[in-house]
Amino acid sequence: MSENRWEGIDEFVAVAECSQFTAAAERLGVSSSHISRQIARLEERLQTRLLYRSTRRVTLTEAGQTFLQHCQRLQDGREEALRAVGDLASEPKGMLRMTCAVAYGERFIVPLVTRFMGHYPQLRVDIELTNRQLDLVHEGLDLAIRLGRLQDSRLVATRLAPRRMYLCASPSYLERYGRPHSLSELSRHNCLIGSSDIWQLEQNGREFSQRVQGNWRCNSGQAVLDAALQGVGLCQLPDYYVLEHLHSGALISLLETHQPPNTAVWALYPQQRHLSPKVRKLVDFLKEGLAQRPEYRN
Protein backbone atom coordinates (compact mmCIF):
# COMPACT_ATOMS: atom_id res chain seq x y z
CA MET A 1 0.00 0.00 0.00
CA SER A 2 1.43 3.33 -1.02
CA GLU A 3 -0.80 5.60 1.03
CA ASN A 4 0.29 6.90 4.41
CA ARG A 5 -1.63 4.83 6.97
CA TRP A 6 -1.33 7.69 9.51
CA GLU A 7 -2.96 10.15 7.12
CA GLY A 8 -6.21 11.59 8.46
CA ILE A 9 -5.83 10.38 12.04
CA ASP A 10 -4.93 13.76 13.54
CA GLU A 11 -7.74 15.38 11.56
CA PHE A 12 -10.24 12.75 12.70
CA VAL A 13 -9.30 13.14 16.38
CA ALA A 14 -9.53 16.93 16.13
CA VAL A 15 -13.02 16.78 14.59
CA ALA A 16 -14.19 14.17 17.11
CA GLU A 17 -12.98 16.25 20.05
CA CYS A 18 -14.21 19.59 18.68
CA SER A 19 -17.47 18.24 17.19
CA GLN A 20 -17.01 20.71 14.32
CA PHE A 21 -14.94 20.80 11.15
CA THR A 22 -14.31 24.54 11.51
CA ALA A 23 -13.04 24.30 15.08
CA ALA A 24 -10.89 21.30 14.17
CA ALA A 25 -9.39 23.23 11.25
CA GLU A 26 -8.53 26.14 13.56
CA ARG A 27 -6.88 23.80 16.05
CA LEU A 28 -4.67 22.24 13.38
CA GLY A 29 -4.10 25.44 11.42
CA VAL A 30 -5.50 24.08 8.15
CA SER A 31 -8.61 24.66 6.05
CA SER A 32 -11.95 22.97 6.63
CA SER A 33 -11.78 21.52 3.14
CA HIS A 34 -8.45 19.87 3.97
CA ILE A 35 -10.01 18.32 7.08
CA SER A 36 -12.96 17.05 5.05
CA ARG A 37 -10.76 15.50 2.36
CA GLN A 38 -8.52 13.74 4.86
CA ILE A 39 -11.40 12.20 6.77
CA ALA A 40 -13.13 11.13 3.55
CA ARG A 41 -9.95 9.36 2.47
CA LEU A 42 -9.62 7.77 5.90
CA GLU A 43 -13.18 6.43 5.79
CA GLU A 44 -12.56 5.15 2.28
CA ARG A 45 -9.44 3.26 3.38
CA LEU A 46 -11.27 1.81 6.37
CA GLN A 47 -14.43 1.12 4.37
CA THR A 48 -16.32 2.44 7.39
CA ARG A 49 -18.24 5.59 8.24
CA LEU A 50 -16.72 7.29 11.26
CA LEU A 51 -18.78 10.48 11.52
CA TYR A 52 -22.38 11.64 11.17
CA ARG A 53 -22.31 15.11 9.65
CA SER A 54 -24.93 17.81 10.08
CA THR A 55 -24.95 21.54 9.38
CA ARG A 56 -24.21 22.42 13.02
CA ARG A 57 -22.57 19.43 14.64
CA VAL A 58 -20.56 16.30 13.94
CA THR A 59 -21.12 13.13 15.97
CA LEU A 60 -19.36 9.79 16.01
CA THR A 61 -20.71 6.52 14.71
CA GLU A 62 -20.21 3.43 16.84
CA ALA A 63 -17.18 2.56 14.72
CA GLY A 64 -15.98 6.14 15.10
CA GLN A 65 -16.17 5.95 18.91
CA THR A 66 -14.09 2.78 18.95
CA PHE A 67 -11.61 4.18 16.45
CA LEU A 68 -11.27 7.42 18.44
CA GLN A 69 -10.15 5.61 21.59
CA HIS A 70 -7.42 3.78 19.68
CA CYS A 71 -6.33 6.93 17.83
CA GLN A 72 -6.03 8.92 21.06
CA ARG A 73 -3.81 6.20 22.53
CA LEU A 74 -1.72 6.28 19.35
CA GLN A 75 -1.31 10.03 19.67
CA ASP A 76 -0.35 9.73 23.33
CA GLY A 77 2.19 7.04 22.50
CA ARG A 78 3.64 9.10 19.67
CA GLU A 79 4.04 12.15 21.91
CA GLU A 80 5.57 10.02 24.67
CA ALA A 81 8.07 8.55 22.20
CA LEU A 82 9.05 12.02 20.98
CA ARG A 83 9.49 13.27 24.57
CA ALA A 84 11.55 10.21 25.50
CA VAL A 85 13.92 10.69 22.58
CA GLY A 86 14.12 14.41 23.24
CA ASP A 87 14.92 13.76 26.89
CA LEU A 88 17.93 11.65 25.94
CA ALA A 89 19.67 14.80 24.78
CA SER A 90 18.34 17.01 27.58
CA GLU A 91 20.43 18.12 30.52
CA PRO A 92 19.23 17.54 34.08
CA LYS A 93 17.55 20.63 35.49
CA GLY A 94 14.94 21.70 38.00
CA MET A 95 14.35 20.14 41.43
CA LEU A 96 15.23 16.52 42.19
CA ARG A 97 13.96 15.23 45.54
CA MET A 98 15.46 12.01 46.88
CA THR A 99 15.94 10.00 50.07
CA CYS A 100 18.48 7.55 51.47
CA ALA A 101 19.39 5.89 54.77
CA VAL A 102 21.45 8.20 56.98
CA ALA A 103 24.80 6.44 57.34
CA TYR A 104 24.98 5.08 53.80
CA GLY A 105 23.79 8.38 52.38
CA GLU A 106 26.37 10.45 54.24
CA ARG A 107 29.24 8.17 53.31
CA PHE A 108 28.42 7.03 49.78
CA ILE A 109 25.50 8.80 48.12
CA VAL A 110 25.63 12.47 49.08
CA PRO A 111 29.26 12.97 47.95
CA LEU A 112 28.40 11.50 44.53
CA VAL A 113 25.25 13.61 44.22
CA THR A 114 27.26 16.73 45.07
CA ARG A 115 29.81 15.85 42.40
CA PHE A 116 26.99 15.19 39.91
CA MET A 117 25.52 18.64 40.55
CA GLY A 118 28.83 20.20 39.58
CA HIS A 119 28.21 19.03 36.01
CA TYR A 120 24.67 20.44 35.83
CA PRO A 121 24.32 23.98 37.22
CA GLN A 122 20.57 24.12 36.44
CA LEU A 123 19.87 21.20 38.77
CA ARG A 124 18.68 21.63 42.37
CA VAL A 125 18.65 18.72 44.82
CA ASP A 126 16.74 18.13 48.05
CA ILE A 127 18.08 15.05 49.91
CA GLU A 128 16.32 13.65 52.97
CA LEU A 129 18.49 11.24 54.94
CA THR A 130 16.29 9.06 57.10
CA ASN A 131 16.13 5.42 58.14
CA ARG A 132 12.36 5.48 57.67
CA GLN A 133 11.12 4.13 54.35
CA LEU A 134 9.24 7.06 52.86
CA ASP A 135 6.40 6.64 50.38
CA LEU A 136 7.85 8.11 47.19
CA VAL A 137 4.51 8.86 45.55
CA HIS A 138 2.89 10.33 48.67
CA GLU A 139 5.98 12.39 49.55
CA GLY A 140 6.53 13.58 45.97
CA LEU A 141 10.03 12.07 45.79
CA ASP A 142 11.81 11.38 42.51
CA LEU A 143 14.27 8.79 43.79
CA ALA A 144 15.10 6.60 46.79
CA ILE A 145 18.27 4.67 47.53
CA ARG A 146 17.36 1.49 49.42
CA LEU A 147 19.51 -1.25 50.92
CA GLY A 148 18.76 -4.94 51.14
CA ARG A 149 15.75 -6.60 49.56
CA LEU A 150 12.91 -4.81 47.84
CA GLN A 151 9.34 -5.05 49.03
CA ASP A 152 7.44 -2.29 47.18
CA SER A 153 6.45 -3.71 43.77
CA ARG A 154 4.91 -0.37 42.74
CA LEU A 155 8.38 1.06 42.22
CA VAL A 156 10.86 0.59 39.40
CA ALA A 157 14.29 -0.55 40.61
CA THR A 158 17.84 -0.37 39.29
CA ARG A 159 20.63 -2.29 41.04
CA LEU A 160 23.46 0.09 41.91
CA ALA A 161 25.88 -2.13 43.82
CA PRO A 162 26.14 -5.44 45.68
CA ARG A 163 25.59 -5.66 49.42
CA ARG A 164 26.90 -8.55 51.51
CA MET A 165 26.25 -9.13 55.19
CA TYR A 166 29.04 -10.38 57.48
CA LEU A 167 28.82 -11.96 60.91
CA CYS A 168 32.04 -11.16 62.74
CA ALA A 169 33.81 -10.41 66.01
CA SER A 170 37.14 -9.10 67.22
CA PRO A 171 40.03 -11.47 68.05
CA SER A 172 39.91 -10.32 71.68
CA TYR A 173 36.26 -11.34 72.03
CA LEU A 174 36.91 -14.74 70.44
CA GLU A 175 39.89 -15.34 72.74
CA ARG A 176 37.66 -14.78 75.79
CA TYR A 177 34.48 -16.53 74.70
CA GLY A 178 35.46 -18.87 71.91
CA ARG A 179 34.47 -19.01 68.26
CA PRO A 180 30.96 -20.20 67.28
CA HIS A 181 31.03 -23.12 64.85
CA SER A 182 27.28 -23.57 64.33
CA LEU A 183 24.14 -21.44 64.33
CA SER A 184 22.93 -23.12 67.51
CA GLU A 185 25.95 -21.67 69.34
CA LEU A 186 24.87 -18.07 68.68
CA SER A 187 22.57 -18.22 71.70
CA ARG A 188 25.67 -18.63 73.93
CA HIS A 189 27.23 -15.39 72.69
CA ASN A 190 26.61 -11.71 73.32
CA CYS A 191 25.14 -10.41 70.06
CA LEU A 192 25.37 -6.68 69.38
CA ILE A 193 21.90 -5.55 68.35
CA GLY A 194 21.46 -2.69 65.92
CA SER A 195 18.14 -1.48 64.57
CA SER A 196 16.75 -5.03 64.76
CA ASP A 197 17.34 -8.13 66.86
CA ILE A 198 16.61 -10.30 63.81
CA TRP A 199 19.66 -11.51 61.86
CA GLN A 200 19.38 -12.89 58.32
CA LEU A 201 21.28 -16.17 57.86
CA GLU A 202 21.33 -19.14 55.52
CA GLN A 203 21.12 -22.86 56.17
CA ASN A 204 20.88 -25.69 53.65
CA GLY A 205 20.54 -23.21 50.82
CA ARG A 206 17.60 -21.39 52.38
CA GLU A 207 17.58 -17.98 54.01
CA PHE A 208 15.95 -17.64 57.41
CA SER A 209 15.61 -15.09 60.18
CA GLN A 210 17.04 -15.70 63.65
CA ARG A 211 16.33 -13.65 66.74
CA VAL A 212 19.49 -12.91 68.73
CA GLN A 213 20.12 -11.67 72.26
CA GLY A 214 22.69 -9.48 73.93
CA ASN A 215 23.27 -6.81 76.56
CA TRP A 216 24.06 -4.01 74.08
CA ARG A 217 21.84 -2.26 71.56
CA CYS A 218 22.10 0.88 69.41
CA ASN A 219 20.35 1.81 66.18
CA SER A 220 23.61 2.98 64.58
CA GLY A 221 25.71 0.74 62.37
CA GLN A 222 28.84 2.71 63.20
CA ALA A 223 28.18 2.30 66.91
CA VAL A 224 27.68 -1.46 66.44
CA LEU A 225 31.00 -1.59 64.57
CA ASP A 226 32.82 0.32 67.30
CA ALA A 227 31.46 -2.03 69.98
CA ALA A 228 32.52 -5.08 67.95
CA LEU A 229 36.04 -3.66 67.50
CA GLN A 230 36.25 -3.17 71.27
CA GLY A 231 35.41 -6.84 71.83
CA VAL A 232 31.95 -6.38 73.31
CA GLY A 233 30.27 -9.06 71.20
CA LEU A 234 29.37 -10.52 67.80
CA CYS A 235 27.91 -8.28 65.10
CA GLN A 236 26.20 -8.64 61.75
CA LEU A 237 26.88 -5.68 59.46
CA PRO A 238 27.03 -4.90 55.73
CA ASP A 239 30.30 -5.13 53.81
CA TYR A 240 30.95 -1.39 53.67
CA TYR A 241 31.24 -1.25 57.48
CA VAL A 242 33.51 -4.22 58.04
CA LEU A 243 35.63 -5.07 54.96
CA GLU A 244 38.46 -2.73 55.95
CA HIS A 245 38.62 -4.31 59.42
CA LEU A 246 38.37 -7.86 58.08
CA HIS A 247 41.35 -7.17 55.80
CA SER A 248 43.38 -5.69 58.67
CA GLY A 249 42.50 -8.52 61.06
CA ALA A 250 40.71 -6.23 63.51
CA LEU A 251 37.58 -8.35 62.89
CA ILE A 252 37.23 -12.06 62.08
CA SER A 253 34.49 -13.35 59.76
CA LEU A 254 32.40 -16.11 61.34
CA LEU A 255 30.02 -18.84 60.11
CA GLU A 256 30.79 -17.94 56.51
CA THR A 257 28.79 -20.86 55.08
CA HIS A 258 25.73 -19.33 56.73
CA GLN A 259 26.07 -15.85 55.28
CA PRO A 260 22.77 -14.79 53.68
CA PRO A 261 22.64 -14.52 49.87
CA ASN A 262 23.86 -11.23 48.51
CA THR A 263 21.41 -8.40 48.73
CA ALA A 264 21.99 -5.10 46.94
CA VAL A 265 21.92 -1.32 46.90
CA TRP A 266 18.97 -0.16 44.81
CA ALA A 267 17.76 3.01 43.14
CA LEU A 268 13.96 3.14 43.22
CA TYR A 269 11.63 5.55 41.48
CA PRO A 270 7.88 5.70 40.80
CA GLN A 271 6.65 3.83 37.75
CA GLN A 272 6.50 5.92 34.61
CA ARG A 273 6.94 5.42 30.90
CA HIS A 274 10.41 6.86 30.75
CA LEU A 275 12.82 8.40 33.20
CA SER A 276 13.41 12.11 33.27
CA PRO A 277 16.98 13.15 32.40
CA LYS A 278 17.77 14.21 35.97
CA VAL A 279 16.80 10.84 37.45
CA ARG A 280 18.16 8.65 34.66
CA LYS A 281 21.55 10.38 34.52
CA LEU A 282 21.93 10.54 38.29
CA VAL A 283 21.20 6.80 38.61
CA ASP A 284 23.84 6.06 35.97
CA PHE A 285 26.29 8.37 37.74
CA LEU A 286 25.69 6.70 41.11
CA LYS A 287 26.15 3.23 39.63
CA GLU A 288 29.45 4.22 38.02
CA GLY A 289 30.63 6.10 41.10
CA LEU A 290 29.90 3.24 43.51
CA ALA A 291 31.71 0.80 41.24
CA GLN A 292 34.88 2.86 41.76
CA ARG A 293 34.68 2.64 45.55
CA PRO A 294 37.23 0.24 47.10
CA GLU A 295 34.39 -1.42 49.05
CA TYR A 296 32.90 -2.68 45.77
CA ARG A 297 36.02 -3.66 43.90
CA ASN A 298 36.72 -7.36 43.61
Side-chain angles (χ1 to χ4, degrees):
M1 294 177 65
S2 60
E3 67 267 22
N4 183 351
R5 294 174 67 88
W6 286 86
E7 209 170 56
I9 287 180
D10 289 338
E11 291 83 355
F12 165 70
V13 172
V15 170
E17 292 179 347
C18 296
S19 300
Q20 287 184 334
F21 277 76
T22 303
E26 291 177 357
R27 176 198 283 190
L28 297 181
V30 297
S31 65
S32 297
S33 59
H34 171 83
I35 296 280
S36 182
R37 284 195 303 272
Q38 290 298 322
I39 291 180
R41 290 172 184 170
L42 181 61
E43 289 179 324
E44 184 178 347
R45 290 205 307 277
L46 296 173
Q47 293 293 294
T48 302
R49 171 173 282 190
L50 301 173
L51 303 171
Y52 292 122
R53 301 162 175 82
S54 68
T55 55
R56 292 187 176 183
R57 189 172 179 81
V58 176
T59 57
L60 294 170
T61 65
E62 183 179 354
Q65 291 173 348
T66 300
F67 192 58
L68 175 63
Q69 295 175 2
H70 289 280
C71 288
Q72 287 171 327
R73 286 198 292 270
L74 282 171
Q75 284 186 328
D76 290 342
R78 180 180 63 187
E79 292 305 312
E80 183 67 23
L82 292 172
R83 284 195 298 270
V85 173
D87 280 348
L88 290 175
S90 299
E91 286 201 349
K93 57 186 176 181
M95 174 63 77
L96 188 153
R97 299 188 65 235
M98 62 181 295
T99 183
C100 182
V102 178
Y104 192 84
E106 289 176 342
R107 183 174 170 187
F108 291 88
I109 298 301
V110 174
L112 287 172
V113 174
T114 303
R115 194 188 313 165
F116 179 77
M117 290 185 67
H119 299 295
Y120 302 105
Q122 297 185 66
L123 181 67
R124 294 178 295 132
V125 175
D126 182 345
I127 309 173
E128 181 165 354
L129 297 182
T130 175
N131 293 330
R132 293 185 301 113
Q133 288 206 359
L134 302 179
D135 186 312
L136 271 67
V137 176
H138 180 72
E139 300 284 345
L141 295 166
D142 299 296
L143 178 66
I145 308 301
R146 298 261 171 90
L147 311 174
R149 283 182 173 75
L150 302 181
Q151 298 177 342
D152 196 337
S153 60
R154 300 173 304 161
L155 302 175
V156 180
T158 297
R159 186 177 183 272
L160 296 180
R163 179 177 183 262
R164 192 176 187 187
M165 300 295 292
Y166 285 87
L167 196 160
C168 47
S170 70
S172 62
Y173 176 88
L174 298 178
E175 287 173 8
R176 289 198 304 271
Y177 301 104
R179 180 173 185 151
H181 296 286
S182 66
L183 293 178
S184 62
E185 293 180 37
L186 285 180
S187 60
R188 306 175 194 169
H189 287 270
N190 190 38
C191 296
L192 303 173
I193 300 172
S195 57
S196 172
D197 60 356
I198 302 295
W199 286 3
Q200 299 302 317
L201 298 161
E202 182 180 294
Q203 189 169 34
N204 300 323
R206 298 184 64 181
E207 185 176 359
F208 73 98
S209 301
Q210 178 160 324
R211 189 177 299 277
V212 295
Q213 295 181 336
N215 64 4
W216 189 100
R217 178 170 190 156
C218 181
N219 65 342
S220 162
Q222 185 61 49
V224 172
L225 173 63
D226 290 342
L229 290 170
Q230 292 183 48
V232 178
L234 308 182
C235 70
Q236 187 184 57
L237 287 169
D239 43 19
Y240 48 86
Y241 279 111
V242 300
L243 281 181
E244 173 188 350
H245 305 289
L246 291 172
H247 292 154
S248 70
L251 290 176
I252 306 296
S253 181
L254 305 170
L255 301 176
E256 293 181 337
T257 59
H258 297 290
Q259 286 180 341
N262 288 2
T263 56
V265 180
W266 303 93
L268 282 81
Y269 30 87
Q271 291 184 3
Q272 51 191 358
R273 293 184 183 177
H274 70 281
L275 289 176
S276 65
K278 60 187 178 183
V279 174
R280 185 186 68 251
K281 292 187 177 182
L282 176 57
V283 168
D284 291 342
F285 189 85
L286 292 176
K287 189 172 184 179
E288 294 172 5
L290 290 174
Q292 300 303 314
R293 297 275 312 202
E295 295 88 349
Y296 296 118
R297 292 177 187 167
N298 294 327

